Amino acid sequence: MSEQDIVARLRAAGCVFAEDEARLLIGSAPDPERLAEMVAERVRGVPLEHVVGWAEFCGIRIAIGPGVFVPRHRTELLVRLAATAIQDGRALVDLACGSGAIAAAVADRVPGLSVHAADIEPAAVEVARRNLAPIGGHVYAGDLFDALPESLRGRVDVLVANVPYVPSGAVGLLPPEARDYEPRRALDGGADGLDVLRRVAAGAPGWLRPGGTLLSEIGVDQIDPAKAALSSAGLAPDVVSDDDLDATVILGRR
């Protein structure tokens, strides 16, 4: 199968960046048989990152597997803010970590961190361990704080929690690549999209050190209720937005 043939098939399937995707598929396939399978998967609508097994995020390559949330470009704002808030040798926790992309990217910018991550999805835990093992990161399986070792209580400098924030009624409006191939639990944030963030905010003060910071991505229309959730938990909220990335992050300082 030639590159021209692959581009034509991808274009017919609606892939906007068919030329770029064709080159990635060709470069990632170990043999012609697997290349044909990968092209067929992409034509069916499987996310490109699931097909090739990796995603580029914040300048580093992150392993991705089937059924694992794919890190979004806009989440670079969360990484940037977390890296600014933490110092060498301090403890970073990435809750609802998915592939562990955020923890890996922060650690890439701030060497020497004690890195911990947790997710409820078994597939995500497996992939996160692959991504964080090279930096000595620890990955735990479980629901939010329930997964963390007690030794971290009161010692966390920065807690990143890129929890789902899409309202339940809007999940069906997401692109098929997300709603059909990523875990619903990684997308659905409840009636107003903030159910999981409220749980994280309520538990965060018990795990953050004095002066520690919680960071989470939210929608721009969720700023007021998100700030209220953090304030109710005793955290001092602030919001940072980046129009270029179309990203909004809420921070809560203990």
Side-chain angles (χ1 to χ4, degrees), residues 41-155:
E41 289 170 4
R42 185 65 184 122
V43 167
R44 287 200 310 271
V46 179
L48 178 65
E49 295 83 359
H50 288 171
V51 176
V52 300
W54 58 273
E56 184 177 345
F57 179 68
C58 292
I60 60 177
R61 183 174 288 198
I62 300 294
I64 299 291
V68 177
F69 183 83
V70 177
R72 304 328 195 224
H73 179 56
R74 63 175 174 267
T75 305
E76 291 183 11
L77 175 61
L78 185 61
V79 170
R80 190 165 72 232
L81 294 171
T84 300
I86 201 165
Q87 303 171 21
D88 293 6
R90 294 293 182 87
L92 169 75
V93 168
D94 183 357
L95 279 190
C97 68
S99 63
I102 295 174
V106 175
D108 184 63
R109 297 181 180 211
V110 187
L113 296 181
S114 173
V115 176
H116 304 264
D119 202 282
I120 197 170
E121 298 286 348
V125 170
E126 179 182 348
V127 170
R129 284 176 174 156
R130 289 166 54 196
N131 286 319
L132 298 181
I135 59 171
H138 305 276
V139 183
Y140 314 99
D143 185 20
L144 300 178
F145 298 107
D146 290 346
L148 300 180
E150 283 294 315
S151 59
L152 286 175
R153 190 176 289 277
R155 293 185 46 242

Side-chain angles (χ1 to χ4, degrees), residues 215-235:
L215 302 97
S216 189
E217 195 171 277
I218 58 172
V220 68
D221 57 340
Q222 297 170 321
I223 290 175
D224 288 342
K227 290 175 72 173
L230 268 61
S231 295
S232 296
L235 301 172

Side-chain angles (χ1 to χ4, degrees), residues 3-20:
E3 181 174 341
Q4 185 177 1
D5 290 336
I6 295 172
V7 170
R9 291 191 62 188
L10 294 175
R11 278 182 181 159
C15 297
V16 177
F17 304 104
E19 291 84 359
D20 294 336

